[in-house]
């Protein structure tokens, strides 16, 4: 199986839609529609954990869904930073929190049938309020209006279900990420 041709159907600032022509395992030529990330070198997700074993989620309006989504802080590597630098920056921008203990957790595609997005997930241990000078360097993005939610790890599933019942969307990835993060939680 191999890609024979890639045609760009549309391109914006961070996304492009492509039509792939490929040969399947029986030699038949097929087509596949896909989305590629452009102008960024990866996507980072940060799982913030406080000293009191609170998990820090964010809640923000997502225009694509026309509603609020509860998720972890995340962002694009669009500034030629290392992935860990992106994790530190996004943590400050989206939550106002900081950590000196950011550890790699996992990496993989988000939706392998649709896009080229690959997430790199970090856990930020012992997060605390970021110093004012860091908040000035990394202010929130003007297009984002984010609510920070600190929830005890032991009550996370219950509280997430309450948020869903109130009409919020829950990013499904958070459930798997919570499971992976267990080994870092006392």
């Amino acid at each position: 199986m191999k890609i024979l041709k890639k045609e760009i159907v549309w391109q914006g600032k961070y996304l492009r839609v492509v039509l792939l022509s490929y040969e399947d395992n029986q030699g038949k030529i097929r087509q596949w529609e896909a989305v590629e990330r452009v102008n960024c070198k990866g996507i980072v997700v940060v799982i913030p954990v406080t000293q009191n074993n609170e998990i820090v989620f964010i809640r923000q309006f997502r225009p694509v869904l026309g509603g609020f989504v509860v998720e972890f802080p995340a962002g694009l590597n669009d500034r030629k930073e290392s992935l860990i630098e992106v994790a530190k920056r996004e943590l400050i921008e989206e939550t106002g929190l900081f950590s000196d203990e950011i550890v790699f957790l996992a990496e993989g595609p988000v939706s392998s049938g649709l896009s080229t997005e690959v997430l790199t997930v970090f856990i930020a241990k012992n997060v605390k309020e970021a110093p004012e000078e860091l908040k000035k360097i990394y202010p929130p993005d003007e297009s984002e209006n984010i609510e920070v939610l600190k929830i005890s790890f032991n009550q996370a599933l219950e509280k997430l279900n309450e948020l869903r019942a109130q009409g919020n969307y829950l990013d499904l990835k958070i459930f798997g990420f919570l499971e992976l993060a267990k080994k870092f939680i006392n």
Side-chain angles (χ1 to χ4, degrees):
M1 297 181 57
K2 63 182 176 180
I3 302 295
L4 302 172
K5 180 181 171 187
K6 177 170 68 171
E7 177 186 342
I8 298 173
V9 177
W10 173 87
Q11 183 167 329
K13 185 176 179 182
Y14 291 107
L15 297 174
R16 103 172 117 221
V17 177
V18 296
L19 182 61
L20 302 170
S21 297
Y22 71 99
E23 183 178 338
D24 72 11
N25 61 348
Q26 297 175 353
K28 185 172 181 177
I29 306 302
R30 299 186 178 273
Q31 291 190 320
W32 195 275
E33 298 168 352
V35 177
E36 294 180 334
R37 277 286 181 185
V38 294
N39 298 320
C40 79
K41 298 286 185 193
I43 303 167
V44 168
V45 174
V46 184
I47 304 169
V49 181
T50 70
Q51 286 183 317
N52 298 327
N53 289 329
E54 295 169 305
I55 306 296
V56 181
F57 297 93
I58 60 171
R59 179 181 174 267
Q60 67 178 317
F61 182 77
R62 291 296 194 172
V64 172
L65 294 169
F68 288 87
V69 178
V70 177
E71 55 196 302
F72 286 119
L76 303 177
N77 183 3
D78 59 353
R79 302 181 190 177
K80 299 181 181 174
E81 301 164 299
S82 71
L83 293 177
I84 201 155
E85 289 171 328
V86 176
K88 289 178 179 181
R89 173 176 53 82
E90 289 294 337
L91 180 61
I92 297 166
E93 287 177 2
E94 295 192 353
T95 68
L97 301 172
F98 174 79
S99 173
D100 284 320
E101 302 175 71
I102 296 185
V103 179
F104 171 83
L105 191 59
E107 183 176 71
V110 178
S111 180
S112 58
L114 172 68
S115 92
T116 59
E117 286 188 330
V118 173
L119 287 182
T120 303
V121 184
F122 294 93
I123 188 159
K125 298 165 45 177
N126 299 314
V127 296
K128 54 188 169 279
E129 194 68 25
E132 287 304 315
E133 58 270 13
L134 281 179
K135 289 181 184 180
K136 287 178 184 172
I137 295 170
Y138 302 111
D141 287 346
E142 64 181 36
S143 65
E144 296 176 326
N145 184 4
I146 295 174
E147 178 184 356
V148 176
L149 307 170
K150 291 182 182 177
I151 302 172
S152 165
F153 179 76
N154 294 331
Q155 296 177 330
L157 294 178
E158 178 184 333
K159 296 292 184 187
L160 289 169
N161 281 327
E162 287 175 17
L163 288 162
R164 184 192 49 75
Q166 294 167 6
N168 296 282
Y169 291 99
L170 303 180
D171 182 342
L172 284 178
K173 296 182 299 295
I174 62 178
F175 296 104
F177 295 159
L178 281 172
E179 187 64 30
L180 287 173
K182 272 184 182 179
K183 67 181 177 183
F184 293 97
I185 302 188
N186 301 328

